[in-house]
Amino acid sequence: GSNEEMRSGEGNYFVAIRGINKHLQQTVEGLTIGTVYGVTFLASSGSGEHANGLWVRVDNQVVWHKPEFQFPVGWTTYTAFFTAADTSAVIRFQSDTCCDESTVLIDDVSVAVGELPPGPEPRTFVNHNFEMENIRVAGHKNMQMSPFGWSGSNNAIFLVYNDDGNSF
């Protein structure tokens, strides 16, 4: 791709979700039933060649959808709001893309009691900014893997180090 300057939105790592209807998710605990929460995250498109979009689902319900990211590529902060139906919720980022090689990028995910701008930190995601593995030590800058604390679609999740962002 032509995205040689694509760098992490926060820290050194970001995640690329590649392919149609592929996902990265985590269960968030400690919610209060009936309370509105905001999931705030950075997102971008990995390539200008295809229409790359993103759904945010909470317990499989769509709470946010962007059908197509605008180009040129760059990180933008978004917040998806949901009302907690239980004390935990599965937060899923799911690609809305046309093609197997299409990629959506995410970084720096947090949850707070819903208000705009987002309220004070409780960072309830484990490894919210994907910085917990220093894969660079192993000589790899771009690993096909789900980050620690997250689960995702097989062969579709890539942990990307800044210096290798041009792969996406």
Side-chain angles (χ1 to χ4, degrees):
S2 57
N3 305 329
E4 286 79 9
E5 296 181 10
M6 190 70 217
R7 297 181 66 78
S8 174
E10 198 275 340
N12 291 316
Y13 295 94
F14 60 91
V15 164
I17 304 172
R18 176 174 286 176
I20 302 166
N21 289 331
K22 303 301 183 182
H23 72 270
L24 182 73
Q25 68 183 33
Q26 187 175 139
T27 301
V28 174
E29 309 281 352
L31 304 177
T32 300
I33 295 171
T35 297
V36 175
Y37 290 89
V39 180
T40 300
F41 57 97
L42 295 171
S44 182
S45 175
S47 146
E49 294 151 26
H50 305 287
N52 301 333
L54 182 69
W55 282 291
V56 177
R57 295 177 181 268
V58 176
D59 294 331
N60 220 27
Q61 301 295 308
V62 174
V63 297
W64 185 91
H65 181 222
K66 187 169 182 64
E68 188 172 342
F69 288 96
Q70 301 302 308
F71 305 108
V73 172
W75 293 103
T76 303
T77 301
Y78 300 99
T79 301
F81 293 97
F82 70 96
T83 301
D86 206 334
T87 57
S88 65
V90 178
I91 312 293
R92 172 180 285 199
F93 295 89
Q94 182 174 330
S95 62
D96 175 20
T97 59
C98 65
C99 317
D100 287 334
E101 66 274 16
S102 295
T103 305
V104 176
L105 313 178
I106 63 167
D107 202 358
D108 197 25
V109 183
S110 64
V111 175
V113 173
E115 51 189 72
L116 216 55
E121 290 299 280
R123 295 265 191 199
T124 44
F125 285 89
V126 175
N127 195 16
H128 73 276
N129 58 2
F130 313 122
E131 299 295 312
M132 284 179 72
E133 299 91 343
N134 191 350
I135 54 175
R136 198 179 191 196
V137 170
H140 298 288
K141 295 181 179 178
N142 175 345
M143 291 284 287
Q144 186 172 302
M145 60 182 284
S146 290
F148 177 80
W150 296 80
S151 61
S153 301
N154 287 342
N155 307 319
I157 306 300
F158 296 82
L159 184 64
V160 186
Y161 188 74
N162 269 345
D163 294 350
D164 205 35
N166 61 334
S167 300
F168 294 91

